[in-house]
Amino acid sequence: MTQADQTSEAFVSSYLLYLLAASSDAASAQFHKIVRDKGLRVPEWRVIACLYDQDGLMTTKLADYALMEQSRLTRILDQMDQKGWVERRIDPEDRRRVRVHLTDTGKGLAKSLVEDAKIHEQKLLSILKDTDAARLKPALQALLAHL
């Protein structure tokens, strides 16, 4: 069997889930270095990024959006609260609910890191042909919408 035959029969190296995970791991590792250099842990970055988009989320929704278990998120929020990056507020419309908000310090961190993330994303997309780069995010968004 030639190497070309082996490549055409290879499963993992052409399997969609492997390609998605491996690409995400490699690209994330690059950006996570920037996150750590700014003094944050990766889960803190995820929380800050989610709240940058939708400040005032309830913990359950924030956990889903940040891709983490709620019990883990609660511990992370406690630490972020101590650092002055987030604060929890009672929902004025339903006092049983608590919403998580970025503080001014948290907003500053978020703005800086989101700018860094956009630059990193542009570098990644510049590796692809323009047509591939233009189709990649809409294709992934469509896939997520159907899962």
Side-chain angles (χ1 to χ4, degrees):
M1 185 182 297
T2 67
Q3 187 171 355
D5 291 335
Q6 289 175 337
T7 303
S8 66
E9 292 179 17
F11 170 70
V12 172
S13 62
S14 64
Y15 180 50
L16 175 64
L17 298 181
Y18 168 78
L19 294 170
L20 289 170
S23 297
S24 177
D25 284 351
S28 293
Q30 293 173 353
F31 185 68
H32 292 165
K33 182 183 180 326
I34 295 169
V35 168
R36 287 188 295 275
D37 287 348
K38 291 209 174 182
L40 283 82
R41 293 176 298 134
V42 172
E44 293 169 335
W45 152 242
R46 286 185 184 163
V47 169
I48 281 177
C50 292
L51 292 174
Y52 180 82
D53 275 356
Q54 297 180 43
D55 201 24
L57 288 172
M58 290 187 303
T59 306
T60 51
K61 185 74 171 171
L62 180 56
D64 289 344
Y65 198 27
L67 304 174
M68 66 180 77
E69 293 179 8
Q70 188 171 344
S71 60
R72 182 172 184 226
L73 175 64
T74 298
R75 290 189 301 274
I76 291 166
L77 289 174
D78 289 342
Q79 295 163 355
M80 293 177 72
D81 189 8
Q82 290 174 352
K83 293 175 183 177
W85 297 341
V86 299
E87 62 184 4
R88 295 176 178 111
R89 297 184 205 151
I90 303 271
D91 186 331
E93 294 179 19
D94 184 343
R95 299 196 50 79
R96 295 170 294 178
R97 291 190 219 168
V98 175
R99 297 192 176 270
V100 182
H101 295 268
L102 289 171
T103 63
D104 288 342
T105 302
K107 289 176 186 174
L109 274 172
K111 185 175 189 289
S112 173
L113 280 166
V114 166
E115 289 172 9
D116 292 337
K118 288 178 180 180
I119 291 167
H120 182 253
E121 179 183 66
Q122 285 302 82
K123 288 178 184 176
L124 291 173
L125 291 174
S126 73
I127 296 168
L128 304 173
K129 293 182 216 171
D130 287 343
T131 54
D132 291 338
R135 291 188 317 225
L136 182 61
K137 289 192 331 184
L140 291 173
Q141 289 165 336
L143 183 61
L144 275 173
H146 287 90
L147 295 176

